[in-house]
Amino acid sequence: MEALTSLIHGFGVLGDPMNIVYMFVGIFLGVLIGVLPGLGGANGVAILLPLTFSMSPVSAIIMLSSIYWGALFGGAITSVLFNIPGEPWSVATTFDGYPMAQQGRAGEALTAAFTGSFFGAFVATLLLTFLAPVIARFALNFGPAEFFAVYLLTFCSFVGMGKESPFKVISAMMLGFALAAVGLDTVTGQLRMTFGSAELLRGFDFLVAVIGLFGVGEILLTMEEGLAFKGRSAKINLRVVLHTWKELPRLWLTALRGSIVGCWMGITPGGATPASFMSYGLAKRFSRNGARFGKGEIEGVLAPETAAHAAGTSALLPMLTLGIPGSPTAAVLLGGLLIWGLQPGPLLFVEQKDFVWGLIASIYLGNIAGLIVVLTTVPLFASILRIPFSIIAPIILVVCAVGAYTVHNALLDISVMLIFGVLGYLFKKLGYPLAPLVLALVLGDMAESSFRQAMLLSRGSLSIFWANPLVAILVTLALAMLFWPLISFVTERFGRKRPQMVPGQ
């Protein structure tokens, strides 16, 4: 009941007309970002974050989160019409979405994708509404050791649950830790790895790094691939929408399953991309029409889109309650909160109730607004893709440069952005994941601070990480996640070598 009262208060905060305007502007920009393959949710939020510095934190987070919801919606448009995933999590949508478009059912596929996205986000927002206050109250008892254990569990989960090579994940994370350590040591006041440069006293700003890694890196890769847009046109009219909505209730179990998978992968550091593939695989496994998947089955569009949007929304739960982002975009939003002087964590629900509940209320309205926007503007966004990429790419690069310069009004940041852009390009070419690097860059300082505070409290004894059942469980889970790939490898290796019993012996 307390959560409902707080949510009503949040809608009151959202009643400011300018916040509604920011929400629609954010959704429109987000859909545009989701449609353009050279950008993405994390990129768009990172590039436009400096433009929100003059806003209040509530208005800024509403606009930035709306960009994220819009990007989640927009990625489906290119997947269905052009067979080009606008976002990584939209890859699974192409499997059945594009065949449906080729069969003249593009409107039906897009309606199913948008409706599934809305349903997944709604389920995840309900989870956020009722579970976040409970987790926040529980986390009020956390000390430095408990917070470090949570950070450690987050880092190790990327190693144990990621689909990339554990060595590549650890390498990317170590680079992120090294970059986060540059500058002034907040505990001792000493300089670290500045090499005599006054410009490095403030360290590497995570926002400049993210703009380079995601925005510039993606553009360089896309330009190398010589991307060209060829696809179907689509118009969504009321008759197609109503006909599709009439068919979708029979697939309620698929939507619910996708929402559960998405919420789980959003809260843990799985993310929207593995959630969409997992949901697609489960839908194919349990569907009566599983053999027709990949040939234009509407269930194959509904499942991944529902999971992706549920994962993207639920990733805010650990970010708001514990200060642990569940996705790269949540990591960028976390950095934005720190810039605005807000400390994510359990005290945020006590000290900044207007901010938290205004954000949660905006998610409800934002997804309704997003559904309306995408259903009415598909032809407009599809026509944007007919602009040559040779024109779009320079515009995106200029926007990236403006965003990087705005952070500190320093020309050096543009050079740093370009260096990180080349690094992001190399990471993608070599198959190294960017998310662990960004996570370590954002959380490295906080994890280090929590660890050193715990060491001061225990006078240098690591036994503090097993001092009570809670911290012991978290650290044990973290170590299990860290060594899980090795355990799986050894188990599989010895299981294969086990001799087969011969009958009669």
Side-chain angles (χ1 to χ4, degrees), residues 457-473:
L457 289 172
S458 66
R459 297 184 179 181
S461 174
L462 290 174
S463 62
I464 192 173
F465 297 115
W466 281 270
N468 60 67
L470 175 60
V471 70
I473 290 172

Side-chain angles (χ1 to χ4, degrees), residues 100 107-117 244 248 298 301-302 305-306:
M100 288 182 70
E108 185 180 344
L110 289 169
T111 303
F114 299 151
T115 307
S117 295
T244 307
L248 289 180
I298 192 171
V301 175
L302 180 69
E305 287 295 316
T306 304

Side-chain angles (χ1 to χ4, degrees), residues 213-226:
L213 289 170
F214 287 100
V216 179
E218 280 287 346
I219 291 296
L220 292 176
L221 193 67
T222 307
M223 289 171 67
E224 181 192 38
E225 293 172 351

Side-chain angles (χ1 to χ4, degrees), residues 283-352:
K284 184 176 182 180
R285 169 69 179 80
F286 291 105
S287 174
R288 288 179 296 180
N289 301 322
R292 288 163 46 189
F293 272 53
K295 301 176 182 176
E297 183 65 30
I298 192 171
E299 199 171 353
V301 175
L302 180 69
E305 287 295 316
T306 304
H309 223 117
T313 305
S314 58
L316 295 181
L317 176 61
M319 190 269 280
L320 291 173
T321 57
L322 299 172
I324 305 293
S327 69
T329 308
V332 178
L333 291 175
L334 171 64
L337 297 187
L338 296 175
I339 291 173
W340 299 321
L342 302 175
Q343 179 63 52
L347 288 177
L348 195 65
F349 283 76
V350 179
E351 299 172 350
Q352 301 288 341

Side-chain angles (χ1 to χ4, degrees), residues 37 53 68 75 111 115 122 126 150 165 280 290 301 309 317 350 383 414 439 456 479:
F53 290 167
Y68 187 25
T111 303
T115 307
F122 181 74
L126 286 176
V150 173
S165 164
Y280 183 87
V301 175
H309 223 117
L317 176 61
V350 179
S383 64
I414 297 179
L439 187 76
L456 289 172
L479 294 176

